[in-house]
Amino acid sequence: MEHLFPSFIRVIRNLDDATRLLATFQEFESNPSAISVEDRVRFLDFPDFSTQEANISAATTLSKEELSKKAAQSPRDLTSSEVELLHSRYWGQISFPEEDIRFDCFENLRLVSNEYYFQTLERLERFRSSFYAEFEADALKNAEAEISRWEDKRREAEDRADLAQILEYGHPWLRQLWQEDEGKKPWGYTIFQSFQWKLEDPERQELYEQKQSNLFHWAHLAIGSGTKIGSRWYLEGLDLPSRIGSDESFLSTLNQLRKQFNYLRSQPPKKQAPYLFIDMAEGKIDAIPEGITEGLLRNVFLYLDHSAAASVLDSRGPDSVWIWAVDPDYKPKIQDSSSGYQGFLRVRLQQLLNHFYVARRWHADEWSMEDLWNAARKDPHNASFVSMKDEEIFAQNLSREVATAMKKSEG
């Protein structure tokens, strides 16, 4: 309980003391009916009676009793000011800093465990359940539910507007992506990081992540993926095979990664990590399954090594950054020609969210990875894949944030 009482508005506003509340609670927990009227108000976390009356009068023409009955029996008929008043437990406006303090207090409870969090709240409610006036407990509970319902309606309206914006102004293939997945699956790739890059200075790794995130941000803006589709973009990191070492050649490393990827690809697709953790917590699964997250491309994987990372860290602009894309179905020849296709290519980093994704998701039967490699060789910057169209590959690009052939107007 010591973590809960600091969340009371009366404590946050220095009208009461959490230590004194705890002491009184411990004294009367076994006999709450013996507590004074003043202490009942304290444990309900209500303001004093005069403040309650003033705030009620400012929010509604109803009396406190009439408001409680209305909220308990017909919550959908409440006005916004009435809901907000009840939601604040008659305090009126609660500031963002005050809400932050309350949130931190609840998080401290959750840090112990979710079970402890709910047990603590239930313990308080059991203690003060008899302190409420008639209809009041249900009124406060229903006001909370109304706030949640309004938030859901607001989010649904925002989602509809966002999706309409995407479908009207975004790249045409986003419509097909939505029609197929309906926002229920992530879209993106799996990625391995080289053994050497994993040992890199953490500050350089963090800087890479920041720069990569910024490049992806501008890519999402360029294709018009919005929130509804853009938020489902996902790069799933895969563990390196245990047998791989730091002295492996580049081609040998890719061959081992292919074997690892193909093994994972042979397993049933799995849910995204947060949902797997929920399944574990609910006892539906005993361990995180192997496999590739459902929705991610299964006919290509990405590989980040020092060379690819350097293109981002030492970037001279969005057309200078790239990453390795590897063909998992490539069969190495006994004597690979160093000048021919060897099952991998460079891809302009931002094109992972545009032409390259489209090529691998919907045109894999039409354009093989070798075809994409041949197109990449035409790129005048660093022989990384931009497009299958020459006019896009060689298009002039003056943007400092978005790579060639990313914007809709260029397609």
Side-chain angles (χ1 to χ4, degrees), residues 45-88:
D45 193 21
F46 290 169
D48 60 57
F49 292 114
S50 61
T51 302
Q52 288 184 48
E53 290 176 1
N55 289 341
I56 291 170
S57 296
T60 180
T61 58
L62 303 177
S63 67
K64 183 179 180 181
E65 292 74 18
E66 291 170 335
L67 177 61
S68 293
K69 185 175 182 180
K70 177 183 178 181
Q73 297 180 344
S74 307
R76 296 288 178 92
D77 295 336
L78 291 169
T79 66
S80 59
S81 59
E82 289 170 345
V83 169
E84 289 165 3
L85 176 70
L86 291 169
H87 180 63
S88 72

Side-chain angles (χ1 to χ4, degrees), residues 7 98-110:
S7 72
E98 289 172 336
E99 289 286 10
D100 287 342
I101 294 173
R102 287 169 57 82
F103 177 82
D104 290 341
C105 291
F106 294 140
E107 280 300 294
N108 287 335
L109 289 169
R110 290 183 184 276

Side-chain angles (χ1 to χ4, degrees), residues 181-362:
D181 294 353
E182 296 182 332
K184 296 177 181 177
K185 299 177 183 178
W187 60 283
Y189 306 81
T190 55
I191 182 170
F192 291 100
Q193 295 186 7
S194 75
F195 185 85
Q196 294 87 346
W197 177 247
K198 282 179 171 289
L199 298 177
E200 181 56 84
D201 177 5
E203 289 188 4
R204 279 179 63 80
Q205 291 182 344
E206 183 178 356
L207 180 60
Y208 174 86
E209 292 295 332
Q210 291 172 352
K211 290 193 171 187
Q212 176 188 256
S213 178
N214 186 57
L215 286 160
F216 285 155
H217 167 74
W218 284 104
H220 280 294
L221 291 178
I223 66 173
S225 61
T227 301
K228 195 69 175 171
I229 293 179
S231 63
R232 302 299 289 159
W233 159 259
Y234 181 49
L235 285 183
E236 178 178 34
L238 300 180
D239 292 333
L240 292 170
S242 57
R243 59 189 175 278
I244 203 165
S246 59
D247 57 347
E248 300 279 350
S249 69
F250 183 75
L251 291 179
S252 175
T253 295
L254 294 191
N255 288 337
Q256 292 194 56
L257 296 183
R258 283 191 187 93
K259 293 177 183 177
Q260 177 75 354
F261 180 86
N262 287 327
Y263 165 72
L264 295 173
R265 185 170 62 171
S266 70
Q267 306 301 308
K270 64 182 183 181
K271 296 179 182 178
Q272 236 176 316
Y275 303 106
L276 289 174
F277 296 145
I278 293 172
D279 285 351
M280 283 190 68
E282 294 177 349
K284 295 179 181 178
I285 57 175
D286 297 325
I288 300 297
E290 294 185 300
I292 294 170
T293 297
E294 60 180 343
L296 302 185
L297 292 181
R298 302 170 71 83
N299 59 5
V300 66
F301 64 85
L302 307 179
Y303 179 55
L304 174 65
D305 65 0
H306 270 90
S307 297
S311 76
V312 173
L313 292 169
D314 306 327
S315 170
R316 298 180 301 279
D319 282 320
S320 69
V321 298
W322 55 270
I323 195 166
W324 298 113
V326 183
D327 183 352
D329 299 308
Y330 177 76
K331 300 293 190 291
K333 301 176 180 63
I334 296 176
Q335 287 187 329
D336 266 335
S337 169
S338 60
S339 60
Y341 176 66
Q342 298 181 72
F344 63 91
L345 67 147
R346 293 177 177 181
V347 177
R348 189 69 45 80
L349 190 67
Q350 290 184 330
Q351 287 297 348
L352 293 176
L353 283 80
N354 191 24
H355 290 313
F356 186 76
Y357 183 82
V358 171
R360 294 314 291 156
R361 174 149 181 168
W362 291 292

Side-chain angles (χ1 to χ4, degrees), residues 133-147:
E134 186 180 15
F135 300 116
E136 194 167 43
D138 287 340
L140 297 175
K141 189 184 302 180
N142 288 348
E144 190 81 26
E146 279 298 287
I147 290 287

